[in-house]
Amino acid sequence: QKEVEQDPGPLSVPEGAIVSLNCTYSNSAFQYFMWYRQYSRKGPELLMYTYSSGNKEDGRFTAQVDKSSKYISLFIRDSQPSDSATYLCASAGGTSYGKLTFGQGTILTVHP
Amino acid sequence: ETGVTQTPRHLVMGMTNKKSLKCEQHLGHNAMYWYKQSAKKPLELMFVYNFKEQTENNSVPSRFSPECPNSSHLFLHLHTLQPEDSALYLCASSRNVDSADTQYFGPGTRLTVL
C-alpha cells in the first residue's frame, strides 16, 4: 500500500466550478500536510500547508485534514483556467525528518 | 522560482555518457534535496543533504552520484544511465531538515536517456 494515495484523474471542470481534490494516507505519524501546484514544465510550488487536523483557507483555496479518517482535501472555489495544473498532496512527520511523501498528483483542467 | 535554479533545463544523453546536473539555492537554506519525477508516479526522494552532509540515500543506484560542496550548491553526477532513468529531476531546499519546514523546488531538469 502506498503511504499517500491520490487519484491521478484527469479532472476537467468548467470555469467557476467548485473543485474537490482528495488524498488518503496510511502513516499515523504524519502531522504536516501540504498541497503543491505544478504547472507544465515548472517545479512544484507550495499552495497550502496545514499542521494536524482542521481547515485552512487562503482566498479561493481551502485545505482540510481529517486525521481520524486519514483524509486530506483541497477545495478550489470559483475555479479559473489559470488553476489548470497538477496538484500534489504531500505529508510528513514522525521520524521522517523532513522527508515528504507525495501522492501521484491529480491533473486538473479548468475550461472556459 | 528564482529562489532555486537548475541547469540545464533539458538534457539528452546516451547510455555511455557522463553528465552533471546543477542546482543552486539563493534562500540561505541549510538542506537540499534531489527528487525524481516520472510519469504517473509520485515524486521519489533520492538524496538529502543537511549542512553539506548527506543524511539520506533512498536506495538510489550508484550510477547517480550526488555532490554538495556547500549549502547553496548541489550536483547530481550521471554515468552509464538506463533509458528508464529518463524523468524530470527536481532539486529542492528548505531551512533545515525538519518536517515543519517548507521545501522550495526548482524548475527541474528534463532528462532523456537514449
Side-chain angles (χ1 to χ4, degrees):
Chain A
Q1 180 190 12
K2 295 176 185 174
E3 282 197 290
V4 178
E5 297 265 10
Q6 183 176 8
D7 184 344
L11 184 62
S12 181
V13 302
E15 184 175 354
I18 296 175
V19 176
S20 173
L21 304 170
N22 307 292
C23 292
T24 58
Y25 65 95
S26 57
N27 189 335
S28 299
F30 285 157
Q31 302 172 66
Y32 303 92
F33 305 93
M34 303 110 195
W35 284 96
Y36 281 84
R37 178 175 61 195
Q38 185 174 21
Y39 290 115
S40 180
R41 290 184 292 278
K42 302 277 189 179
E45 58 176 337
L46 183 69
L47 190 61
M48 299 288 281
Y49 179 106
T50 310
Y51 171 69
S52 194
S53 278
N55 292 2
K56 185 172 184 178
E57 189 172 321
D58 184 1
R60 297 184 293 110
F61 299 88
T62 300
Q64 202 170 73
V65 176
D66 182 346
K67 291 192 72 180
S68 62
S69 59
K70 298 189 177 66
Y71 205 77
I72 313 164
S73 300
L74 178 71
F75 299 96
I76 307 174
R77 291 184 298 280
D78 187 25
S79 56
Q80 302 296 309
S82 58
D83 295 328
S84 299
T86 298
Y87 289 80
L88 307 165
C89 62
S91 303
T95 58
S96 63
Y97 298 115
K99 177 182 172 181
L100 293 181
T101 302
F102 282 87
Q104 187 174 338
T106 300
I107 299 170
L108 172 68
T109 301
V110 181
H111 51 86
Chain B
E1 281 188 24
T2 55
V4 181
T5 58
Q6 291 187 244
T7 55
R9 294 293 305 273
H10 301 272
L11 179 62
V12 179
M13 60 186 290
M15 292 166 60
T16 58
N17 291 161
K18 290 185 180 181
K19 296 287 184 182
S20 295
L21 309 184
K22 179 183 176 182
C23 174
E24 184 173 359
Q25 58 96 359
H26 310 272
L27 301 169
H29 290 165
N30 300 311
M32 297 188 77
Y33 310 77
W34 279 118
Y35 287 87
K36 177 183 179 182
Q37 187 175 34
S38 304
K40 300 183 180 180
K41 293 177 72 174
L43 264 76
E44 301 172 57
L45 180 66
M46 300 175 71
F47 301 102
V48 181
Y49 278 83
N50 191 35
F51 289 97
K52 304 188 302 178
E53 299 298 319
Q54 188 181 117
T55 58
E56 178 105 15
N57 177 336
N58 203 23
S59 303
V60 181
S62 59
R63 58 186 183 270
F64 295 91
S65 175
E67 178 188 0
C68 188
N70 54 63
S71 294
S72 299
H73 294 85
L74 185 65
F75 295 88
L76 188 62
H77 304 299
L78 317 171
H79 61 99
T80 60
L81 294 191
Q82 306 297 311
E84 59 264 29
D85 296 323
S86 299
L88 181 69
Y89 288 85
L90 291 160
C91 173
S93 72
S94 63
R95 187 168 48 187
N96 292 299
V97 178
D98 189 290
S99 296
D101 287 339
T102 300
Q103 292 186 22
Y104 296 86
F105 285 83
T109 295
R110 174 68 63 185
L111 174 67
T112 303
V113 181
L114 302 177

